[in-house]
Amino acid sequence: MTRPEVGRAVAILRDGGLVAFPTETVYGLGADAANPAALGRLYAVKGRPVEHPVIVHLADVAQLDEWAREIPTLARALAAACWPGPLTLVLRRTPRVPDAATGGLDTVGLRVPAHPLALELLTAFAGGIAAPSANRFGHVSPTTAAAVRAELGADVDLVLDGGPCAVGVESTIVDCTGGAPRVLREGGVTRERLRELVGDDVPVGGVTRAPGTLEAHYAPSAAVELVDAVAVRDRVAELIRVGQAVGVLAPARAVRSEVDGVVTLAAPVDADEYARVLYAALRHADALGLDVVLAVPPAPEGIGAAVADRLRRAAASR
Ligand code: TXA
Ligand code: MG
């Protein structure tokens, strides 16, 4: 039996409304992927340029052929190995995918998320749900229902609360439309895991219209400045001396002694925890009205690569 709030969510989606829902990565802002009017509203609420495509979420790998065609064997293998999970595959789209979901591109991003509430919603809806991260364009992605409400307020018809997101950074996007696969955005499925699955390094980068790959993105209002563990203490002292309100976000081993007046936003013990707390820490910095977030990025290994990528883009936003 579906939960009552899932029934309500399905009715809202069928009616062309917007429902925010949890995934294992970040919260998504969902609309019926087959309804161009609903997609129009989704883009308006996000403040997202219409030429930027959104990810279509599915309940099950069995629906893949309804939304994509000419699917390479490797893409099927990646889907089988990683779904439900934090992997988005870019594939050639079927006519079922409206132009409004793809910015007019001939391709579509597809993923099956690994969150029980998301899967319950997708199964009950029995269609594709287009969902970008549930934040305004360029801002920090939300990882709790409260963050979605703070970000979107009355612009979203319903927020399903599935607790804090387990991964904390977005899905890895792999473009499977060329000869060899390419990573368009690093995320929850690590480079190391992809290498294992593909049998070779999967190159990162490529020309796309992917806002998550814009140089400036994932940005709080506070300025984000990257520093290394050795320099952080002096830089904090320097900024506080000139009257700046400063927060530090750094691996626990890098935070040794504190300077009076600095806010420790998070001190994660490993890269997994860093990913999980990253966006909440950036949001917290804004809630406190901080001027500067000094961030010591994690080593770019495992999910640390996605965290370092997001911090670099947040820092580039000023
Ligand atoms: O983890 C995630 O992927 C989350 C959750 C909600 O699933 N969603 C998410 O959506 O991060 P969004 O819209 O914030 O970022 C999706 C990225 C964008 O950079 C978009 O341009 C890219 O996926 N994308 C979608 N379809 C694409 C396509 N056909 N070709 C290239 N990039 C595509
Ligand atoms: Mg986003």
Side-chain angles (χ1 to χ4, degrees):
M1 222 192 64
T2 53
R3 290 173 243 203
E5 73 265 32
V6 171
R8 213 144 53 86
V10 168
I12 290 168
L13 291 172
R14 294 222 168 103
D15 216 33
L18 303 181
V19 174
F21 62 97
T23 80
E24 78 282 32
T25 58
V26 300
Y27 274 71
L29 178 62
D32 180 354
N35 179 342
L39 292 166
R41 192 167 153 223
L42 177 69
Y43 276 74
V45 166
K46 268 280 301 182
R48 177 180 224 162
V50 291
E51 68 276 11
H52 287 293
V54 288
I55 296 171
V56 175
H57 297 69
L58 306 175
D60 195 284
V61 65
Q63 293 167 307
L64 190 53
D65 293 85
E66 295 170 29
W67 298 87
R69 64 190 163 84
E70 298 165 41
I71 303 168
T73 311
L74 179 68
R76 287 195 194 277
L78 289 174
C82 298
W83 286 354
L87 176 74
T88 295
L89 294 174
V90 172
L91 296 163
R92 301 217 174 278
R93 65 168 159 150
T94 61
R96 173 174 193 152
V97 184
D99 283 337
T102 70
L105 295 174
D106 185 37
T107 59
V108 62
L110 296 169
R111 111 173 171 95
V112 178
H115 190 292
L117 194 47
L119 290 172
E120 194 177 318
L121 175 68
L122 285 159
T123 304
F125 183 63
I129 299 180
S133 50
N135 54 279
R136 311 273 184 198
F137 188 67
H139 288 192
V140 178
S141 305
T143 51
T144 63
V148 175
R149 289 191 200 101
E151 178 84 23
L152 299 177
D155 286 346
V156 54
D157 299 309
L158 178 68
V159 181
L160 292 176
D161 189 345
C165 299
V167 175
V169 293
E170 296 82 353
S171 61
T172 301
I173 304 178
V174 179
D175 184 349
C176 296
T177 60
R182 297 190 76 82
V183 171
L184 302 184
R185 179 180 72 185
E186 297 192 87
V189 173
T190 64
R191 241 182 253 175
E192 293 83 350
R193 175 74 180 132
L194 279 179
R195 190 197 307 124
E196 238 170 65
L197 292 169
V198 173
D200 201 353
D201 277 326
V202 182
V204 179
V207 186
T208 62
R209 281 190 252 161
T213 65
L214 291 178
E215 276 312 308
H217 212 72
Y218 311 103
S221 303
V224 175
E225 191 178 307
L226 305 185
V227 284
D228 61 36
V230 178
V232 67
R233 198 172 187 283
D234 284 350
R235 185 63 183 143
V236 167
E238 196 171 84
L239 286 166
I240 286 182
R241 211 178 312 125
V242 297
Q244 299 279 289
V246 182
V248 169
L249 174 56
R253 63 182 156 68
V255 188
R256 287 213 189 85
S257 56
E258 300 207 348
V259 178
D260 272 356
V262 70
V263 177
T264 300
L265 293 166
V269 297
D270 58 22
D272 287 331
E273 188 188 351
Y274 208 141
R276 220 156 40 232
V277 302
L278 172 67
Y279 291 142
L282 295 179
R283 283 180 179 278
H284 188 51
D286 282 348
L288 295 174
L290 299 183
D291 300 305
V292 183
V293 174
L294 284 181
V296 178
E301 292 150 14
I303 199 155
V307 175
D309 169 79
R310 301 307 189 271
L311 283 171
R312 196 173 51 73
R313 293 179 203 277
S317 296
R318 272 297 176 89

